[in-house]
Amino acid sequence: PILSLRDGGVVRLLQLDGGKVLLADAASPPSSPDSLLHLWSGSAGDVAAPAGTLLTLEGGSSDTYLNILAQGGVETGLLFGDPSGSNIGRLIYNHDGDRFDFWMGPTSTRRLRYSAGAFAFQEETTISTTGGDLALSPAGNVKFGAHSAIGAETVTGYITIKDSGGASRKLAVVS
């Protein structure tokens, strides 16, 4: 190691040739970091970060989190980039709207939004739960596929739905 700091015999900081850094807060850390920066508080077992990993968080037998903190009224999240754009994909939490937004694509289009029991898709279809009901609100039609009736079919039950005016309708379930 180029640099090794110990506290009562416990390695707290280890920097190896090649620039890799290990920060540990428990005894018996690995002798070599898995990535450029390896934060370690216990062994996760016989597992290592894949090649190309820049940051490893290893929590051992305790819950392990990546915590992004910010004041209210702002967004926090993870951004993914490549040569075509620095935020080509995004997983964003919006604190004001109390929702998650998933963005992706060359124009970084919001593809999915989740807030308080409802999913909204880029294609303007919403799936939500209100009053115990599951509401599917597409911009177009809901399609279940083609069916050709045969003489031996019998009705074995019904699925009750509400139309856009709120009237209950029944769909037959056949065997």
Side-chain angles (χ1 to χ4, degrees), residues 27-112:
S28 304
S31 58
S32 177
D34 277 357
S35 56
L36 188 60
L37 178 58
H38 190 153
L39 306 179
W40 189 91
S41 67
S43 175
D46 189 18
V47 62
T53 301
L54 297 177
L55 172 64
T56 301
L57 307 174
E58 188 171 356
S61 62
S62 61
D63 295 339
T64 305
Y65 302 100
L66 173 63
N67 195 345
I68 302 173
L69 303 173
Q71 294 183 6
V74 299
E75 293 181 341
T76 54
L78 301 173
L79 306 179
F80 305 89
D82 61 27
S84 65
S86 62
N87 62 354
I88 202 80
R90 295 182 274 171
L91 169 57
I92 302 294
Y93 179 73
N94 180 293
H95 292 263
D96 277 347
D98 194 22
R99 68 176 185 259
F100 275 103
D101 292 326
F102 300 85
W103 301 71
M104 59 191 208
T107 59
S108 196
T109 303
R110 185 181 64 239
R111 301 291 180 170
L112 177 65

